Amino acid sequence: MDFSQLLNQIVPDRVKENEPMSRHTNFRIGGPAKWFVEVRSLEELKAVVALANRHRVSIFVMGGGSNTLVSDQGFDGVVVKIAMRQIQIDGIRVRAEAGVLSAALARATAKAGLGGLAWAISLPGTIGGAVRGNAGCFGGETKDHLVEVEILRNGEVLTISKNELA
């Protein structure tokens, strides 16, 4: 079985070959990704990363495509779009998966009567990207509302506190 077939076993109907990255970035530029995969769960993400590692295929992980520039030459590997979009609100504690749009989280927290994320309503991109780049605007920054993050490292999910992040 070739790599494309193996990817399709993990994420059926969400694998595209030679996908123009211009369709997935806010700047609407970029050549084709050899493979483009949308993952909707941690299990899918783990399986795709493990498969790519086994086959020595390069990986690029992306969220909403804001602030992402892709070469016109494209990417000779698998682009993994994080489409994990669950939000859980328990009292004042909020848990958002990496693929949640920043504006959607701002709306959800406001609807739940929570303040503090109004600044994020106009922030493009996803929570994963906001954490990665400490996104901010209008006087708010991601780091000011972060308690901890979960990351995938070497196939394991690790929880890292805000203070352990660079």
Side-chain angles (χ1 to χ4, degrees):
M1 214 179 285
D2 71 9
F3 189 76
S4 295
Q5 292 169 318
L6 293 169
L7 277 174
N8 272 295
Q9 285 185 328
I10 299 168
V11 287
D13 303 322
R14 284 182 273 131
V15 177
K16 297 177 182 177
E17 291 186 53
N18 298 312
E19 175 71 1
M21 290 306 297
S22 59
R23 294 180 182 166
H24 303 280
T25 64
N26 287 12
F27 294 112
R28 299 294 179 224
I29 62 171
K34 192 166 187 178
W35 297 280
F36 181 89
V37 178
E38 182 179 284
V39 296
R40 297 180 183 162
S41 71
L42 179 58
E43 293 73 27
E44 288 179 352
L45 176 60
K46 284 180 175 182
V48 169
V49 169
L51 177 68
N53 287 338
R54 272 195 315 275
H55 288 264
R56 294 191 166 108
V57 171
S58 297
I59 302 170
F60 177 76
V61 178
M62 70 177 291
S66 61
N67 297 324
T68 303
L69 297 173
V70 180
S71 166
D72 289 339
Q73 319 257 300
F75 182 70
D76 187 27
V78 60
V79 172
V80 179
K81 180 179 175 86
I82 303 295
M84 299 152 42
R85 296 195 174 103
Q86 295 295 312
I87 299 171
Q88 298 170 342
I89 300 176
D90 184 19
I92 62 168
R93 188 162 178 102
V94 178
R95 183 180 190 281
E97 290 182 322
V100 171
L101 296 174
S102 299
L105 183 62
R107 281 189 204 95
T109 55
K111 186 177 178 181
L114 300 175
L117 288 181
W119 59 270
I121 195 71
S122 63
L123 192 65
T126 61
I127 293 303
V131 169
R132 171 67 175 87
N134 188 34
C137 59
F138 305 115
E141 288 183 284
T142 303
K143 70 175 178 62
D144 296 330
H145 304 279
L146 193 64
V147 175
E148 62 190 21
V149 297
E150 292 179 349
I151 64 166
L152 181 62
R153 182 184 293 158
N154 299 324
E156 290 185 53
V157 177
L158 305 174
T159 301
I160 299 177
S161 74
K162 167 183 165 173
N163 296 332
E164 295 174 274
L165 297 172

